[in-house]
Amino acid sequence: MAARKPVRRGATKTPLTREAIAEAALALIDADGLDALSMRRLGGALGVEAMALYHHFQNKGKLLDAVMGRLLDEAELPARGSMPPLARIRRFAESYRRIAIHHPHAFILLTYRRFNTERTFELYESVLEALADLDFAPALAARFFRLLGYYVGGAGLADIASRAAQPDATPVSLERFGKSKRYSHVAAVAPHLRLANLDAIFEFGLDVIFDTMKKKSAGA
């Protein structure tokens, strides 16, 4: 019987690529939170020494940029010509919010880190292309681009909080808020702010934004 070859310590069955590292980093963040991510811990999860990761990413910041790119792979922007520009942009906004629901620990990366990579600029270009197809001048396109970013990013963070999905979250009081003389207006509105109504609230906000975009596109 032939002798078995010794297994090298730290060997991994998964080829160590930038994509595999980013995927593993996202899985670690999803499981334990952003603060749990370190090059050393990520290396352990991949079966390599931390230094091996630096052959692919210069530093942790570059790794986080790659995780952002991986998150943005879940944003859906239908191809140009497949549907009207407003419908394309709305589909994108809805899918962007879903990233927060699927990756509550990682979504914050998309709200407080700048988009500085080729992957993120490709996304910028595609969204701005759709806005240009509405005949918006660059200045107006920039305003709606920022408005959509503010709204969807803020809605995503609010969704995370409303689901108590962030690290060290406490129970959400609005989910069980009852009658109150001291907070009578909160008590009146609370049933409409609960988790079951978040989709409708988000779509209402999009209606307000997209109605305005439609009017601007029509020259109103």
Side-chain angles (χ1 to χ4, degrees), residues 3 9 26 47 58 82 89 98 100 108 110 117 127 144 149 152-153 158 191 194 200 213:
R9 185 178 181 274
L26 177 57
Q58 183 180 0
S82 63
I89 299 169
R98 285 195 295 272
I108 193 171
L110 300 179
T117 65
V127 176
F144 276 117
V152 179
R194 290 174 182 160
M213 292 173 69

Side-chain angles (χ1 to χ4, degrees), residues 43-79:
L46 287 165
V48 300
E49 298 294 334
M51 286 304 297
L53 304 180
Y54 290 100
H55 292 295
H56 300 270
F57 294 101
Q58 183 180 0
N59 51 48
K60 186 177 176 181
K62 296 293 186 182
L63 171 61
L64 292 176
D65 285 345
V67 174
M68 290 171 63
R70 166 59 185 79
L71 289 171
L72 292 173
D73 287 342
E74 298 186 18
E76 180 185 355
L77 183 61

Side-chain angles (χ1 to χ4, degrees), residues 1-213:
M1 181 176 180
R4 298 176 64 182
K5 293 182 180 180
V7 177
R8 181 172 57 86
R9 185 178 181 274
T12 176
K13 294 180 180 180
T14 303
L16 201 61
T17 63
R18 288 175 60 88
E19 293 75 17
I21 295 169
E23 187 71 35
L26 177 57
L28 197 158
I29 295 169
D30 282 343
D32 298 321
L34 186 59
D35 290 342
L37 177 65
S38 69
M39 300 300 262
R40 181 177 180 179
R41 186 172 180 187
L42 180 59
L46 287 165
V48 300
E49 298 294 334
M51 286 304 297
L53 304 180
Y54 290 100
H55 292 295
H56 300 270
F57 294 101
Q58 183 180 0
N59 51 48
K60 186 177 176 181
K62 296 293 186 182
L63 171 61
L64 292 176
D65 285 345
V67 174
M68 290 171 63
R70 166 59 185 79
L71 289 171
L72 292 173
D73 287 342
E74 298 186 18
E76 180 185 355
L77 183 61
R80 193 180 195 182
S82 63
M83 59 178 63
L86 279 175
R88 293 178 64 216
I89 299 169
R90 184 155 185 151
R91 180 77 63 83
F92 168 75
E94 291 168 342
S95 67
Y96 198 99
R97 177 212 175 202
R98 285 195 295 272
I99 298 173
I101 297 171
H102 296 156
H103 304 283
H105 294 169
F107 182 77
I108 193 171
L109 290 171
L110 300 179
T111 65
Y112 83 91
R113 289 183 62 85
R114 301 306 299 168
F115 285 20
N116 287 319
T117 65
E118 286 293 319
R119 173 68 184 89
T120 54
F121 275 95
E122 287 174 0
L123 180 64
Y124 274 173
E125 181 68 16
S126 296
V127 176
L128 290 169
E129 176 188 74
L131 291 169
D133 287 343
L134 293 168
D135 293 325
F136 288 164
L140 185 59
R143 292 183 178 184
F144 276 117
F145 180 78
R146 282 296 189 199
L147 176 60
L148 285 168
Y150 294 155
Y151 178 66
V152 179
L157 292 176
D159 270 313
I160 293 168
S162 295
R163 289 174 167 78
Q166 72 275 34
D168 303 316
T170 53
V172 180
S173 297
L174 281 177
E175 286 297 309
R176 59 182 189 282
F177 206 92
K179 294 181 179 180
S180 171
K181 291 183 179 180
R182 183 177 182 182
Y183 303 113
S184 59
H185 292 94
V186 175
V189 170
H192 306 285
L193 294 176
R194 290 174 182 160
L195 191 60
N197 295 312
L198 291 185
D199 288 347
I201 292 171
F202 179 74
E203 293 297 328
F204 172 81
L206 287 184
D207 286 343
V208 173
I209 294 172
F210 278 81
D211 284 348
T212 303
M213 292 173 69

